[in-house]
mmCIF file of all heavy atoms in Angstrom:
data_model
loop_
_atom_site.group_PDB
_atom_site.id
_atom_site.type_symbol
_atom_site.label_atom_id
_atom_site.label_comp_id
_atom_site.label_asym_id
_atom_site.label_seq_id
_atom_site.Cartn_x
_atom_site.Cartn_y
_atom_site.Cartn_z
ATOM 1 N N ARG A 1024 99.724 101.001 125.979
ATOM 2 C CA ARG A 1024 100.518 102.199 125.970
ATOM 3 C C ARG A 1024 101.772 102.088 126.882
ATOM 4 O O ARG A 1024 101.619 101.645 128.068
ATOM 5 C CB ARG A 1024 99.658 103.371 126.466
ATOM 6 C CG ARG A 1024 99.914 104.657 125.791
ATOM 7 C CD ARG A 1024 99.862 104.750 124.327
ATOM 8 N NE ARG A 1024 98.787 105.557 123.909
ATOM 9 C CZ ARG A 1024 97.696 105.147 123.269
ATOM 10 N NH1 ARG A 1024 97.621 103.892 122.923
ATOM 11 N NH2 ARG A 1024 96.729 105.967 122.964
ATOM 12 N N VAL A 1025 102.953 102.488 126.382
ATOM 13 C CA VAL A 1025 104.148 102.527 127.285
ATOM 14 C C VAL A 1025 104.529 103.949 127.513
ATOM 15 O O VAL A 1025 105.334 104.284 128.305
ATOM 16 C CB VAL A 1025 105.329 101.693 126.700
ATOM 17 C CG1 VAL A 1025 104.943 100.283 126.525
ATOM 18 C CG2 VAL A 1025 105.861 102.335 125.457
ATOM 19 N N ILE A 1026 103.935 104.891 126.660
ATOM 20 C CA ILE A 1026 104.242 106.319 126.837
ATOM 21 C C ILE A 1026 102.949 107.063 126.732
ATOM 22 O O ILE A 1026 102.115 106.740 125.886
ATOM 23 C CB ILE A 1026 105.338 106.771 125.860
ATOM 24 C CG1 ILE A 1026 105.826 108.130 126.215
ATOM 25 C CG2 ILE A 1026 104.848 106.725 124.377
ATOM 26 C CD1 ILE A 1026 107.148 108.484 125.495
ATOM 27 N N ASP A 1027 102.815 108.081 127.591
ATOM 28 C CA ASP A 1027 101.635 108.912 127.572
ATOM 29 C C ASP A 1027 101.649 109.894 126.387
ATOM 30 O O ASP A 1027 102.578 110.750 126.442
ATOM 31 C CB ASP A 1027 101.534 109.601 128.915
ATOM 32 C CG ASP A 1027 100.186 110.217 129.184
ATOM 33 O OD1 ASP A 1027 99.187 109.687 128.596
ATOM 34 O OD2 ASP A 1027 100.043 111.201 129.927
ATOM 35 N N VAL A 1028 100.758 109.713 125.431
ATOM 36 C CA VAL A 1028 100.831 110.573 124.278
ATOM 37 C C VAL A 1028 99.404 111.108 123.931
ATOM 38 O O VAL A 1028 98.454 110.409 124.139
ATOM 39 C CB VAL A 1028 101.426 109.821 123.078
ATOM 40 C CG1 VAL A 1028 100.611 108.653 122.598
ATOM 41 C CG2 VAL A 1028 101.781 110.749 121.924
ATOM 42 N N ASP A 1029 99.375 112.389 123.529
ATOM 43 C CA ASP A 1029 98.035 112.923 123.254
ATOM 44 C C ASP A 1029 97.535 112.435 121.866
ATOM 45 O O ASP A 1029 98.275 112.476 120.843
ATOM 46 C CB ASP A 1029 98.130 114.486 123.078
ATOM 47 C CG ASP A 1029 98.366 115.136 124.480
ATOM 48 O OD1 ASP A 1029 97.949 114.522 125.457
ATOM 49 O OD2 ASP A 1029 98.899 116.261 124.565
ATOM 50 N N VAL A 1030 96.258 111.944 121.834
ATOM 51 C CA VAL A 1030 95.695 111.535 120.569
ATOM 52 C C VAL A 1030 94.266 112.203 120.627
ATOM 53 O O VAL A 1030 93.393 111.808 121.374
ATOM 54 C CB VAL A 1030 95.502 110.052 120.500
ATOM 55 C CG1 VAL A 1030 94.829 109.636 119.172
ATOM 56 C CG2 VAL A 1030 96.841 109.354 120.643
ATOM 57 N N GLU A 1031 94.130 113.211 119.756
ATOM 58 C CA GLU A 1031 92.911 114.122 119.851
ATOM 59 C C GLU A 1031 91.640 113.443 119.300
ATOM 60 O O GLU A 1031 90.524 113.742 119.781
ATOM 61 C CB GLU A 1031 93.154 115.422 119.190
ATOM 62 C CG GLU A 1031 94.100 116.392 119.958
ATOM 63 C CD GLU A 1031 95.585 116.082 119.850
ATOM 64 O OE1 GLU A 1031 95.954 115.118 119.067
ATOM 65 O OE2 GLU A 1031 96.388 116.833 120.423
ATOM 66 N N TYR A 1032 91.824 112.631 118.227
ATOM 67 C CA TYR A 1032 90.696 112.020 117.620
ATOM 68 C C TYR A 1032 90.878 110.525 117.530
ATOM 69 O O TYR A 1032 91.878 110.045 116.989
ATOM 70 C CB TYR A 1032 90.399 112.535 116.167
ATOM 71 C CG TYR A 1032 90.249 114.063 116.174
ATOM 72 C CD1 TYR A 1032 91.306 114.852 115.786
ATOM 73 C CD2 TYR A 1032 88.981 114.666 116.417
ATOM 74 C CE1 TYR A 1032 91.142 116.220 115.696
ATOM 75 C CE2 TYR A 1032 88.829 116.038 116.310
ATOM 76 C CZ TYR A 1032 89.912 116.822 115.994
ATOM 77 O OH TYR A 1032 89.789 118.209 115.914
ATOM 78 N N ILE A 1033 89.941 109.765 118.070
ATOM 79 C CA ILE A 1033 90.051 108.295 118.103
ATOM 80 C C ILE A 1033 88.770 107.700 117.505
ATOM 81 O O ILE A 1033 87.694 108.004 117.900
ATOM 82 C CB ILE A 1033 90.252 107.755 119.537
ATOM 83 C CG1 ILE A 1033 91.604 108.197 120.125
ATOM 84 C CG2 ILE A 1033 90.120 106.240 119.619
ATOM 85 C CD1 ILE A 1033 91.804 107.879 121.553
ATOM 86 N N GLY A 1034 88.939 106.829 116.497
ATOM 87 C CA GLY A 1034 87.816 106.189 115.843
ATOM 88 C C GLY A 1034 87.225 105.128 116.775
ATOM 89 O O GLY A 1034 86.006 105.244 117.184
ATOM 90 N N PHE A 1035 87.985 104.164 117.131
ATOM 91 C CA PHE A 1035 87.547 103.100 118.009
ATOM 92 C C PHE A 1035 88.645 102.646 119.047
ATOM 93 O O PHE A 1035 89.765 102.537 118.614
ATOM 94 C CB PHE A 1035 87.249 101.787 117.172
ATOM 95 C CG PHE A 1035 86.222 102.002 116.118
ATOM 96 C CD1 PHE A 1035 86.491 102.459 114.839
ATOM 97 C CD2 PHE A 1035 84.854 101.668 116.387
ATOM 98 C CE1 PHE A 1035 85.517 102.623 113.870
ATOM 99 C CE2 PHE A 1035 83.853 101.813 115.445
ATOM 100 C CZ PHE A 1035 84.201 102.320 114.146
ATOM 101 N N ASP A 1036 88.238 102.504 120.211
ATOM 102 C CA ASP A 1036 89.131 101.859 121.237
ATOM 103 C C ASP A 1036 88.904 100.386 121.158
ATOM 104 O O ASP A 1036 87.800 99.944 121.170
ATOM 105 C CB ASP A 1036 88.694 102.397 122.657
ATOM 106 C CG ASP A 1036 89.329 103.748 122.914
ATOM 107 O OD1 ASP A 1036 90.557 103.864 122.972
ATOM 108 O OD2 ASP A 1036 88.535 104.671 123.081
ATOM 109 N N ILE A 1037 90.013 99.672 120.986
ATOM 110 C CA ILE A 1037 89.897 98.221 120.906
ATOM 111 C C ILE A 1037 90.787 97.544 121.934
ATOM 112 O O ILE A 1037 91.710 98.163 122.491
ATOM 113 C CB ILE A 1037 90.325 97.655 119.497
ATOM 114 C CG1 ILE A 1037 91.821 98.013 119.229
ATOM 115 C CG2 ILE A 1037 89.397 98.204 118.437
ATOM 116 C CD1 ILE A 1037 92.261 97.214 117.915
ATOM 117 N N GLU A 1038 90.515 96.298 122.242
ATOM 118 C CA GLU A 1038 91.333 95.594 123.215
ATOM 119 C C GLU A 1038 92.593 95.111 122.554
ATOM 120 O O GLU A 1038 92.803 95.215 121.375
ATOM 121 C CB GLU A 1038 90.511 94.426 123.888
ATOM 122 C CG GLU A 1038 89.959 93.477 122.891
ATOM 123 C CD GLU A 1038 89.100 92.385 123.586
ATOM 124 O OE1 GLU A 1038 89.695 91.403 124.010
ATOM 125 O OE2 GLU A 1038 87.900 92.536 123.643
ATOM 126 N N ASP A 1039 93.452 94.503 123.384
ATOM 127 C CA ASP A 1039 94.804 94.098 122.964
ATOM 128 C C ASP A 1039 94.723 92.845 122.037
ATOM 129 O O ASP A 1039 94.950 91.770 122.622
ATOM 130 C CB ASP A 1039 95.735 93.903 124.172
ATOM 131 C CG ASP A 1039 97.138 93.547 123.724
ATOM 132 O OD1 ASP A 1039 97.402 93.704 122.514
ATOM 133 O OD2 ASP A 1039 97.931 93.004 124.529
ATOM 134 N N ARG A 1040 94.507 93.069 120.843
ATOM 135 C CA ARG A 1040 94.437 91.939 119.893
ATOM 136 C C ARG A 1040 95.080 92.428 118.592
ATOM 137 O O ARG A 1040 94.971 93.603 118.247
ATOM 138 C CB ARG A 1040 92.965 91.627 119.561
ATOM 139 C CG ARG A 1040 92.375 90.556 120.376
ATOM 140 C CD ARG A 1040 91.021 90.260 119.852
ATOM 141 N NE ARG A 1040 90.657 88.939 120.209
ATOM 142 C CZ ARG A 1040 89.361 88.596 120.410
ATOM 143 N NH1 ARG A 1040 88.461 89.451 120.339
ATOM 144 N NH2 ARG A 1040 89.100 87.360 120.745
ATOM 145 N N PHE A 1041 95.663 91.528 117.852
ATOM 146 C CA PHE A 1041 96.297 91.896 116.618
ATOM 147 C C PHE A 1041 95.206 92.008 115.543
ATOM 148 O O PHE A 1041 94.548 90.955 115.279
ATOM 149 C CB PHE A 1041 97.442 90.903 116.231
ATOM 150 C CG PHE A 1041 98.271 91.459 115.051
ATOM 151 C CD1 PHE A 1041 99.270 92.378 115.270
ATOM 152 C CD2 PHE A 1041 97.958 91.027 113.767
ATOM 153 C CE1 PHE A 1041 99.997 92.874 114.262
ATOM 154 C CE2 PHE A 1041 98.736 91.567 112.657
ATOM 155 C CZ PHE A 1041 99.733 92.435 112.934
ATOM 156 N N VAL A 1042 95.111 93.131 114.935
ATOM 157 C CA VAL A 1042 94.056 93.335 113.899
ATOM 158 C C VAL A 1042 94.631 93.533 112.518
ATOM 159 O O VAL A 1042 95.772 94.015 112.389
ATOM 160 C CB VAL A 1042 93.097 94.460 114.305
ATOM 161 C CG1 VAL A 1042 92.267 94.016 115.493
ATOM 162 C CG2 VAL A 1042 93.864 95.777 114.579
ATOM 163 N N VAL A 1043 93.875 93.191 111.472
ATOM 164 C CA VAL A 1043 94.283 93.450 110.131
ATOM 165 C C VAL A 1043 93.035 93.962 109.361
ATOM 166 O O VAL A 1043 91.928 93.942 109.872
ATOM 167 C CB VAL A 1043 94.780 92.164 109.374
ATOM 168 C CG1 VAL A 1043 95.986 91.587 110.065
ATOM 169 C CG2 VAL A 1043 93.563 91.095 109.363
ATOM 170 N N GLY A 1044 93.329 94.407 108.144
ATOM 171 C CA GLY A 1044 92.254 94.841 107.259
ATOM 172 C C GLY A 1044 92.109 96.385 107.217
ATOM 173 O O GLY A 1044 92.619 97.089 108.095
ATOM 174 N N TYR A 1045 91.461 96.897 106.219
ATOM 175 C CA TYR A 1045 91.245 98.309 106.044
ATOM 176 C C TYR A 1045 92.506 99.118 106.212
ATOM 177 O O TYR A 1045 92.655 100.064 106.944
ATOM 178 C CB TYR A 1045 90.133 98.778 107.095
ATOM 179 C CG TYR A 1045 89.584 100.107 106.753
ATOM 180 C CD1 TYR A 1045 88.780 100.360 105.606
ATOM 181 C CD2 TYR A 1045 89.812 101.254 107.545
ATOM 182 C CE1 TYR A 1045 88.279 101.551 105.300
ATOM 183 C CE2 TYR A 1045 89.297 102.459 107.220
ATOM 184 C CZ TYR A 1045 88.556 102.627 106.110
ATOM 185 O OH TYR A 1045 88.028 103.859 105.794
ATOM 186 N N GLY A 1046 93.595 98.602 105.539
ATOM 187 C CA GLY A 1046 94.822 99.279 105.548
ATOM 188 C C GLY A 1046 95.869 98.603 106.434
ATOM 189 O O GLY A 1046 97.088 98.662 106.206
ATOM 190 N N LEU A 1047 95.430 97.870 107.460
ATOM 191 C CA LEU A 1047 96.376 97.229 108.360
ATOM 192 C C LEU A 1047 96.767 95.866 107.778
ATOM 193 O O LEU A 1047 95.915 95.112 107.296
ATOM 194 C CB LEU A 1047 95.749 97.067 109.792
ATOM 195 C CG LEU A 1047 95.614 98.428 110.496
ATOM 196 C CD1 LEU A 1047 94.141 98.670 110.804
ATOM 197 C CD2 LEU A 1047 96.407 98.391 111.782
ATOM 198 N N ASP A 1048 98.068 95.495 108.039
ATOM 199 C CA ASP A 1048 98.552 94.300 107.378
ATOM 200 C C ASP A 1048 98.989 93.229 108.406
ATOM 201 O O ASP A 1048 99.246 93.516 109.579
ATOM 202 C CB ASP A 1048 99.729 94.639 106.471
ATOM 203 C CG ASP A 1048 100.996 94.895 107.356
ATOM 204 O OD1 ASP A 1048 100.964 95.779 108.222
ATOM 205 O OD2 ASP A 1048 102.054 94.226 107.099
ATOM 206 N N PHE A 1049 99.154 91.997 107.806
ATOM 207 C CA PHE A 1049 99.958 91.026 108.512
ATOM 208 C C PHE A 1049 100.947 90.505 107.426
ATOM 209 O O PHE A 1049 100.470 90.036 106.373
ATOM 210 C CB PHE A 1049 99.157 89.871 109.021
ATOM 211 C CG PHE A 1049 99.993 88.710 109.574
ATOM 212 C CD1 PHE A 1049 100.733 88.878 110.697
ATOM 213 C CD2 PHE A 1049 100.054 87.491 108.864
ATOM 214 C CE1 PHE A 1049 101.506 87.842 111.181
ATOM 215 C CE2 PHE A 1049 100.829 86.461 109.386
ATOM 216 C CZ PHE A 1049 101.612 86.610 110.543
ATOM 217 N N GLN A 1050 102.220 90.772 107.568
ATOM 218 C CA GLN A 1050 103.222 90.477 106.517
ATOM 219 C C GLN A 1050 102.827 91.036 105.184
ATOM 220 O O GLN A 1050 102.851 90.439 104.119
ATOM 221 C CB GLN A 1050 103.498 88.960 106.477
ATOM 222 C CG GLN A 1050 104.104 88.515 107.790
ATOM 223 C CD GLN A 1050 104.421 87.040 107.878
ATOM 224 O OE1 GLN A 1050 104.019 86.303 106.944
ATOM 225 N NE2 GLN A 1050 105.078 86.622 108.895
ATOM 226 N N GLN A 1051 102.345 92.328 105.221
ATOM 227 C CA GLN A 1051 101.983 93.018 103.961
ATOM 228 C C GLN A 1051 100.648 92.593 103.345
ATOM 229 O O GLN A 1051 100.203 93.206 102.385
ATOM 230 C CB GLN A 1051 103.087 93.121 102.938
ATOM 231 C CG GLN A 1051 104.328 93.807 103.465
ATOM 232 C CD GLN A 1051 104.072 95.259 103.944
ATOM 233 O OE1 GLN A 1051 103.210 95.925 103.480
ATOM 234 N NE2 GLN A 1051 104.880 95.647 104.950
ATOM 235 N N LEU A 1052 100.057 91.604 103.932
ATOM 236 C CA LEU A 1052 98.766 91.138 103.335
ATOM 237 C C LEU A 1052 97.535 91.598 104.168
ATOM 238 O O LEU A 1052 97.730 92.149 105.283
ATOM 239 C CB LEU A 1052 98.766 89.566 103.266
ATOM 240 C CG LEU A 1052 99.693 89.001 102.273
ATOM 241 C CD1 LEU A 1052 99.772 87.461 102.423
ATOM 242 C CD2 LEU A 1052 99.375 89.375 100.822
ATOM 243 N N TYR A 1053 96.369 91.497 103.583
ATOM 244 C CA TYR A 1053 95.103 91.809 104.198
ATOM 245 C C TYR A 1053 94.757 93.308 104.273
ATOM 246 O O TYR A 1053 93.703 93.649 104.755
ATOM 247 C CB TYR A 1053 94.972 91.242 105.662
ATOM 248 C CG TYR A 1053 95.267 89.757 105.710
ATOM 249 C CD1 TYR A 1053 96.466 89.284 106.299
ATOM 250 C CD2 TYR A 1053 94.397 88.871 105.167
ATOM 251 C CE1 TYR A 1053 96.765 87.951 106.346
ATOM 252 C CE2 TYR A 1053 94.680 87.497 105.212
ATOM 253 C CZ TYR A 1053 95.883 87.056 105.801
ATOM 254 O OH TYR A 1053 96.134 85.719 105.797
ATOM 255 N N ARG A 1054 95.595 94.182 103.727
ATOM 256 C CA ARG A 1054 95.299 95.605 103.740
ATOM 257 C C ARG A 1054 93.981 95.931 102.978
ATOM 258 O O ARG A 1054 93.362 96.928 103.249
ATOM 259 C CB ARG A 1054 96.453 96.400 103.161
ATOM 260 C CG ARG A 1054 97.764 96.344 103.897
ATOM 261 C CD ARG A 1054 98.721 97.405 103.341
ATOM 262 N NE ARG A 1054 100.092 97.228 103.760
ATOM 263 C CZ ARG A 1054 100.646 97.646 104.919
ATOM 264 N NH1 ARG A 1054 99.895 98.298 105.738
ATOM 265 N NH2 ARG A 1054 101.881 97.418 105.153
ATOM 266 N N ASN A 1055 93.649 95.057 102.041
ATOM 267 C CA ASN A 1055 92.526 95.321 101.171
ATOM 268 C C ASN A 1055 91.200 94.865 101.758
ATOM 269 O O ASN A 1055 90.132 95.079 101.146
ATOM 270 C CB ASN A 1055 92.724 94.658 99.810
ATOM 271 C CG ASN A 1055 92.931 93.164 99.984
ATOM 272 O OD1 ASN A 1055 93.697 92.694 100.846
ATOM 273 N ND2 ASN A 1055 92.257 92.301 99.119
ATOM 274 N N LEU A 1056 91.187 94.181 102.924
ATOM 275 C CA LEU A 1056 89.866 93.885 103.498
ATOM 276 C C LEU A 1056 89.111 95.142 103.798
ATOM 277 O O LEU A 1056 89.630 96.134 104.265
ATOM 278 C CB LEU A 1056 90.103 93.097 104.823
ATOM 279 C CG LEU A 1056 90.740 91.767 104.774
ATOM 280 C CD1 LEU A 1056 90.955 91.212 106.209
ATOM 281 C CD2 LEU A 1056 89.905 90.819 103.975
#
Side-chain angles (χ1 to χ4, degrees):
R1024 216 56 115 247
V1025 302
I1026 191 162
D1027 194 23
V1028 64
D1029 289 335
V1030 181
E1031 286 81 1
Y1032 303 98
I1033 293 173
F1035 299 88
D1036 279 295
I1037 62 168
E1038 53 183 277
D1039 181 15
R1040 266 186 155 150
F1041 191 81
V1042 291
V1043 297
Y1045 197 67
L1047 289 118
D1048 76 306
F1049 174 68
Q1050 296 180 352
Q1051 297 305 328
L1052 293 172
Y1053 307 108
R1054 295 191 195 273
N1055 58 315
L1056 294 177

